[in-house]
Amino acid sequence: MAIPCPNFIASEKAAMEAGLLLPSSSLSQLILTQDDLKKIAAYKAVEYVESGMVLGLGTGSTAKHAVDRIGELLRQGKLKDIVGIPTSTKTHEQALSLGIPLSDLDSHPVVDLAIDGADEVDPYLNLVKGRGGSLLREKMVEGACKKFVVIVDESKLVNYIGGSGLAMPVEVIQFCWKFTASRLQKLFEESGCVAKLRTLGEKGEPYVTDNGNYIIDLYFKQSIGDLKAASDSILQIAGVVEHGMFIDMATTVIVAGELGLTVKDK
Protein backbone atom coordinates (compact mmCIF):
# COMPACT_ATOMS: atom_id res chain seq x y z
CA MET A 1 0.00 0.00 0.00
CA ALA A 2 1.47 3.34 -1.08
CA ILE A 3 -0.18 6.50 0.17
CA PRO A 4 0.37 9.94 -1.38
CA CYS A 5 0.42 12.41 1.48
CA PRO A 6 -0.04 16.01 0.22
CA ASN A 7 -1.50 17.03 3.59
CA PHE A 8 0.67 14.90 5.88
CA ILE A 9 1.02 16.91 9.10
CA ALA A 10 3.30 14.72 11.19
CA SER A 11 6.34 16.45 12.54
CA GLU A 12 9.05 16.67 9.90
CA LYS A 13 11.49 15.66 12.63
CA ALA A 14 9.89 12.19 12.88
CA ALA A 15 9.96 11.71 9.13
CA MET A 16 13.59 12.85 8.86
CA GLU A 17 14.73 10.62 11.73
CA ALA A 18 12.97 7.70 10.11
CA GLY A 19 15.04 8.31 6.98
CA LEU A 20 11.98 9.12 4.88
CA LEU A 21 12.63 12.83 4.33
CA LEU A 22 15.72 14.83 3.43
CA PRO A 23 16.22 18.31 4.92
CA SER A 24 15.80 19.83 1.46
CA SER A 25 12.56 17.93 0.79
CA SER A 26 8.94 18.54 1.70
CA LEU A 27 6.47 16.24 3.39
CA SER A 28 4.11 16.98 0.52
CA GLN A 29 6.51 15.13 -1.79
CA LEU A 30 6.30 11.88 0.17
CA ILE A 31 4.69 8.69 -1.05
CA LEU A 32 4.36 6.56 2.07
CA THR A 33 3.95 2.80 2.26
CA GLN A 34 2.24 1.09 5.17
CA ASP A 35 5.66 0.21 6.55
CA ASP A 36 6.71 3.88 6.31
CA LEU A 37 3.69 4.82 8.40
CA LYS A 38 4.63 2.20 10.99
CA LYS A 39 8.18 3.55 11.11
CA ILE A 40 7.09 7.15 11.64
CA ALA A 41 4.73 6.08 14.46
CA ALA A 42 7.50 4.00 16.04
CA TYR A 43 10.00 6.86 15.95
CA LYS A 44 7.42 9.17 17.52
CA ALA A 45 6.86 6.64 20.32
CA VAL A 46 10.59 6.47 21.07
CA GLU A 47 10.46 10.19 21.88
CA TYR A 48 8.86 9.07 25.17
CA VAL A 49 12.00 7.12 26.10
CA GLU A 50 14.41 8.68 28.59
CA SER A 51 17.82 7.57 29.84
CA GLY A 52 17.70 5.28 32.85
CA MET A 53 14.37 3.69 31.94
CA VAL A 54 13.36 0.05 32.11
CA LEU A 55 11.65 -0.57 28.77
CA GLY A 56 9.25 -3.21 27.57
CA LEU A 57 10.31 -4.10 24.02
CA GLY A 58 7.41 -5.17 21.85
CA THR A 59 7.18 -7.74 19.09
CA GLY A 60 6.10 -7.42 15.46
CA SER A 61 6.75 -5.38 12.34
CA THR A 62 5.88 -2.03 13.96
CA ALA A 63 7.63 -2.63 17.27
CA LYS A 64 10.75 -3.72 15.38
CA HIS A 65 11.21 -0.15 14.14
CA ALA A 66 11.02 1.16 17.73
CA VAL A 67 13.61 -1.35 18.97
CA ASP A 68 15.89 -0.44 16.06
CA ARG A 69 15.55 3.23 16.95
CA ILE A 70 16.34 2.63 20.63
CA GLY A 71 19.47 0.73 19.63
CA GLU A 72 20.49 3.57 17.32
CA LEU A 73 20.07 6.21 20.04
CA LEU A 74 22.12 4.09 22.45
CA ARG A 75 24.95 3.86 19.90
CA GLN A 76 24.81 7.60 19.39
CA GLY A 77 25.00 8.22 23.15
CA LYS A 78 21.64 10.03 23.14
CA LEU A 79 20.23 7.38 25.47
CA LYS A 80 22.08 5.81 28.39
CA ASP A 81 21.47 3.22 31.10
CA ILE A 82 18.53 1.62 29.32
CA VAL A 83 17.35 -1.84 30.37
CA GLY A 84 15.11 -3.70 27.94
CA ILE A 85 12.66 -6.48 28.71
CA PRO A 86 11.79 -8.28 25.44
CA THR A 87 8.37 -9.80 24.83
CA SER A 88 9.55 -12.65 22.57
CA THR A 89 12.64 -14.62 21.64
CA LYS A 90 12.65 -12.79 18.31
CA THR A 91 12.79 -9.39 20.00
CA HIS A 92 15.36 -10.74 22.45
CA GLU A 93 17.64 -11.65 19.55
CA GLN A 94 17.04 -8.32 17.82
CA ALA A 95 17.83 -6.33 20.97
CA LEU A 96 21.01 -8.32 21.63
CA SER A 97 22.20 -7.65 18.08
CA LEU A 98 21.69 -3.92 18.69
CA GLY A 99 23.58 -3.89 21.98
CA ILE A 100 20.53 -3.14 24.14
CA PRO A 101 21.11 -4.39 27.72
CA LEU A 102 18.39 -6.91 28.65
CA SER A 103 16.77 -8.20 31.80
CA ASP A 104 13.44 -9.70 32.88
CA LEU A 105 10.46 -9.09 35.17
CA ASP A 106 12.04 -11.14 37.96
CA SER A 107 14.80 -8.53 38.25
CA HIS A 108 12.68 -5.51 37.23
CA PRO A 109 9.06 -6.08 38.28
CA VAL A 110 8.11 -2.47 37.46
CA VAL A 111 8.57 -1.31 33.86
CA ASP A 112 8.73 2.43 33.16
CA LEU A 113 7.53 2.30 29.57
CA ALA A 114 6.54 -0.30 27.01
CA ILE A 115 6.25 0.29 23.26
CA ASP A 116 4.44 -2.19 21.06
CA GLY A 117 2.16 -2.49 18.07
CA ALA A 118 -1.41 -3.80 17.93
CA ASP A 119 -3.58 -5.72 15.50
CA GLU A 120 -6.75 -3.79 16.35
CA VAL A 121 -7.53 -0.63 18.31
CA ASP A 122 -11.13 0.23 19.21
CA PRO A 123 -12.44 3.76 20.04
CA TYR A 124 -11.77 3.17 23.76
CA LEU A 125 -8.12 2.15 23.14
CA ASN A 126 -8.80 -1.52 23.82
CA LEU A 127 -6.57 -3.73 21.71
CA VAL A 128 -6.25 -7.05 19.95
CA LYS A 129 -2.68 -8.29 19.99
CA GLY A 130 -0.98 -11.59 19.34
CA ARG A 131 -1.37 -12.28 15.64
CA GLY A 132 2.42 -12.51 15.76
CA GLY A 133 2.12 -15.17 18.47
CA SER A 134 3.63 -13.34 21.47
CA LEU A 135 0.50 -12.30 23.36
CA LEU A 136 1.32 -13.98 26.68
CA ARG A 137 4.73 -12.40 27.21
CA GLU A 138 3.44 -9.10 25.80
CA LYS A 139 0.61 -9.05 28.33
CA MET A 140 2.95 -9.93 31.19
CA VAL A 141 5.43 -7.16 30.37
CA GLU A 142 2.92 -4.52 29.33
CA GLY A 143 0.75 -5.27 32.32
CA ALA A 144 3.71 -4.37 34.56
CA CYS A 145 4.46 -0.99 32.96
CA LYS A 146 3.66 2.51 34.15
CA LYS A 147 3.05 3.74 30.60
CA PHE A 148 2.13 1.63 27.56
CA VAL A 149 2.52 3.37 24.19
CA VAL A 150 0.90 1.58 21.26
CA ILE A 151 1.98 2.32 17.69
CA VAL A 152 -0.19 1.50 14.67
CA ASP A 153 -1.05 2.63 11.18
CA GLU A 154 -4.65 3.67 10.58
CA SER A 155 -5.61 0.31 9.04
CA LYS A 156 -5.65 -1.13 12.58
CA LEU A 157 -8.53 1.09 13.79
CA VAL A 158 -11.84 -0.76 14.26
CA ASN A 159 -15.30 0.11 15.54
CA TYR A 160 -15.27 -2.84 17.94
CA ILE A 161 -12.89 -5.61 18.99
CA GLY A 162 -12.99 -8.27 16.31
CA GLY A 163 -14.29 -5.72 13.81
CA SER A 164 -11.52 -6.35 11.29
CA GLY A 165 -12.82 -9.87 10.71
CA LEU A 166 -9.30 -11.13 11.43
CA ALA A 167 -8.04 -13.30 14.25
CA MET A 168 -8.41 -12.70 17.98
CA PRO A 169 -5.84 -15.18 19.31
CA VAL A 170 -6.14 -17.35 22.38
CA GLU A 171 -3.08 -19.22 23.66
CA VAL A 172 -3.96 -22.72 24.85
CA ILE A 173 -2.04 -25.73 26.11
CA GLN A 174 -1.47 -28.51 23.57
CA PHE A 175 -3.32 -31.14 25.58
CA CYS A 176 -6.81 -31.70 24.10
CA TRP A 177 -6.66 -28.45 22.15
CA LYS A 178 -9.64 -29.48 19.99
CA PHE A 179 -11.79 -29.71 23.11
CA THR A 180 -10.65 -26.24 24.18
CA ALA A 181 -11.27 -24.82 20.70
CA SER A 182 -14.81 -26.20 20.63
CA ARG A 183 -15.58 -24.62 24.00
CA LEU A 184 -14.23 -21.27 22.82
CA GLN A 185 -16.31 -21.39 19.67
CA LYS A 186 -19.46 -22.31 21.59
CA LEU A 187 -18.83 -19.50 24.06
CA PHE A 188 -19.25 -16.91 21.29
CA GLU A 189 -21.65 -18.72 18.97
CA GLU A 190 -24.09 -15.79 19.09
CA SER A 191 -21.35 -13.63 17.54
CA GLY A 192 -20.84 -16.14 14.71
CA CYS A 193 -17.51 -17.26 16.11
CA VAL A 194 -15.29 -19.67 14.22
CA ALA A 195 -12.30 -21.13 16.09
CA LYS A 196 -9.29 -22.34 14.11
CA LEU A 197 -5.95 -23.77 15.15
CA ARG A 198 -3.09 -21.61 13.89
CA THR A 199 -0.85 -23.60 11.56
CA LEU A 200 2.35 -23.09 9.60
CA GLY A 201 3.64 -24.17 6.21
CA GLU A 202 2.27 -26.43 3.52
CA LYS A 203 1.99 -29.37 5.91
CA GLY A 204 -0.20 -27.36 8.27
CA GLU A 205 1.86 -28.08 11.35
CA PRO A 206 0.54 -26.35 14.48
CA TYR A 207 2.16 -23.02 15.33
CA VAL A 208 3.95 -23.31 18.67
CA THR A 209 4.51 -20.22 20.82
CA ASP A 210 7.71 -19.32 22.66
CA ASN A 211 6.02 -20.90 25.68
CA GLY A 212 5.38 -24.25 23.99
CA ASN A 213 1.64 -23.69 23.54
CA TYR A 214 -0.79 -23.61 20.60
CA ILE A 215 -2.90 -20.66 19.44
CA ILE A 216 -6.60 -20.87 18.63
CA ASP A 217 -7.62 -17.95 16.43
CA LEU A 218 -11.19 -16.73 16.94
CA TYR A 219 -13.02 -15.01 14.08
CA PHE A 220 -16.18 -13.02 14.83
CA LYS A 221 -18.99 -11.92 12.54
CA GLN A 222 -20.46 -9.60 15.18
CA SER A 223 -19.39 -7.77 18.32
CA ILE A 224 -18.84 -9.96 21.38
CA GLY A 225 -20.27 -7.25 23.64
CA ASP A 226 -18.86 -6.62 27.11
CA LEU A 227 -15.12 -7.21 26.74
CA LYS A 228 -14.42 -7.71 30.44
CA ALA A 229 -17.17 -10.33 30.67
CA ALA A 230 -15.81 -12.00 27.53
CA SER A 231 -12.31 -11.97 29.01
CA ASP A 232 -13.47 -13.59 32.23
CA SER A 233 -15.39 -16.27 30.34
CA ILE A 234 -12.39 -17.15 28.17
CA LEU A 235 -9.99 -17.36 31.10
CA GLN A 236 -12.35 -19.62 33.04
CA ILE A 237 -12.00 -22.35 30.40
CA ALA A 238 -9.50 -24.97 31.55
CA GLY A 239 -6.73 -25.23 28.98
CA VAL A 240 -6.69 -21.53 28.14
CA VAL A 241 -3.45 -19.77 29.04
CA GLU A 242 -4.21 -16.20 27.88
CA HIS A 243 -6.13 -14.27 25.23
CA GLY A 244 -5.20 -11.41 22.92
CA MET A 245 -7.63 -8.76 24.19
CA PHE A 246 -5.69 -6.03 25.97
CA ILE A 247 -8.44 -4.21 27.85
CA ASP A 248 -7.78 -0.83 29.52
CA MET A 249 -4.01 -1.33 29.21
CA ALA A 250 -2.90 1.22 26.60
CA THR A 251 -2.18 4.67 27.99
CA THR A 252 -1.27 6.26 24.63
CA VAL A 253 -1.95 5.18 21.04
CA ILE A 254 -0.01 6.77 18.18
CA VAL A 255 -1.75 6.37 14.83
CA ALA A 256 0.02 7.14 11.55
CA GLY A 257 -2.26 7.77 8.60
CA GLU A 258 -2.72 9.74 5.44
CA LEU A 259 -3.28 13.01 7.30
CA GLY A 260 -0.43 12.57 9.74
CA LEU A 261 0.16 11.37 13.29
CA THR A 262 -2.67 11.26 15.80
CA VAL A 263 -1.80 10.81 19.47
CA LYS A 264 -4.63 9.45 21.58
CA ASP A 265 -4.25 9.42 25.35
CA LYS A 266 -6.32 7.47 27.84
Side-chain angles (χ1 to χ4, degrees):
M1 180 181 69
I3 301 175
C5 294
N7 299 312
F8 198 83
I9 56 174
S11 70
E12 294 196 4
K13 176 186 176 184
M16 288 180 184
E17 290 179 341
L20 302 173
L21 183 67
L22 297 174
S24 59
S25 303
S26 167
L27 281 168
S28 64
Q29 299 171 343
L30 283 178
I31 301 294
L32 297 175
T33 66
Q34 188 175 29
D35 192 60
D36 291 336
L37 294 175
K38 292 177 179 180
K39 192 172 184 180
I40 290 174
Y43 275 53
K44 179 64 178 177
V46 175
E47 292 179 13
Y48 290 87
V49 178
E50 299 176 2
S51 293
M53 279 187 166
V54 177
L55 299 176
L57 305 177
T59 298
S61 58
T62 308
K64 180 181 183 299
H65 290 306
V67 177
D68 283 341
R69 179 60 173 163
I70 291 166
E72 180 182 10
L73 294 175
L74 281 170
R75 289 195 305 273
Q76 294 173 352
K78 296 178 180 179
L79 285 177
K80 297 179 180 179
D81 302 321
I82 293 295
V83 175
I85 300 180
T87 55
S88 66
T89 55
K90 187 173 184 179
T91 300
H92 185 276
E93 292 167 359
Q94 179 195 5
L96 282 180
S97 73
L98 295 169
I100 299 174
L102 298 179
S103 188
D104 55 35
L105 291 175
D106 291 335
S107 300
H108 295 87
V110 178
V111 180
D112 295 303
L113 170 69
I115 299 174
D116 206 351
D119 300 307
E120 290 184 2
V121 180
D122 79 3
Y124 305 100
L125 306 191
N126 297 309
L127 317 171
V128 168
K129 291 177 52 55
R131 290 180 192 154
S134 301
L135 60 135
L136 176 57
R137 296 189 189 187
E138 288 172 341
K139 189 168 283 189
M140 290 178 68
V141 173
E142 290 149 13
C145 66
K146 297 176 183 177
K147 187 175 183 65
F148 178 23
V149 178
V150 178
I151 44 181
V152 295
D153 66 88
E154 61 185 354
S155 70
K156 302 303 192 296
L157 303 181
V158 296
N159 292 325
Y160 60 89
I161 291 300
S164 69
L166 301 175
M168 196 287 281
V170 180
E171 187 162 340
V172 303
I173 66 168
Q174 295 189 27
F175 176 74
C176 295
W177 67 265
K178 291 181 181 179
F179 174 75
T180 307
S182 66
R183 293 191 67 187
L184 287 166
Q185 182 167 303
K186 187 175 182 180
L187 185 63
F188 298 107
E189 59 185 352
E190 292 184 1
S191 299
C193 178
V194 175
K196 296 182 179 180
L197 176 70
R198 185 176 298 185
T199 59
L200 289 175
E202 295 180 357
K203 295 183 179 180
E205 294 292 330
Y207 174 89
V208 179
T209 71
D210 288 344
N211 317 300
N213 299 314
Y214 287 170
I215 287 183
I216 303 298
D217 286 322
L218 304 184
Y219 299 86
F220 305 109
K221 293 182 180 178
Q222 301 175 28
S223 169
I224 59 175
D226 186 321
L227 297 182
K228 291 184 178 179
S231 171
D232 290 343
S233 296
I234 292 171
L235 294 174
Q236 286 173 5
I237 295 176
V240 167
V241 180
E242 188 54 84
H243 60 72
M245 291 188 294
F246 284 50
I247 304 167
D248 292 332
M249 290 180 64
T251 55
T252 299
V253 175
I254 300 173
V255 184
E258 183 174 351
L259 297 179
L261 286 180
T262 303
V263 179
K264 302 181 179 183
D265 293 310
K266 197 73 174 177

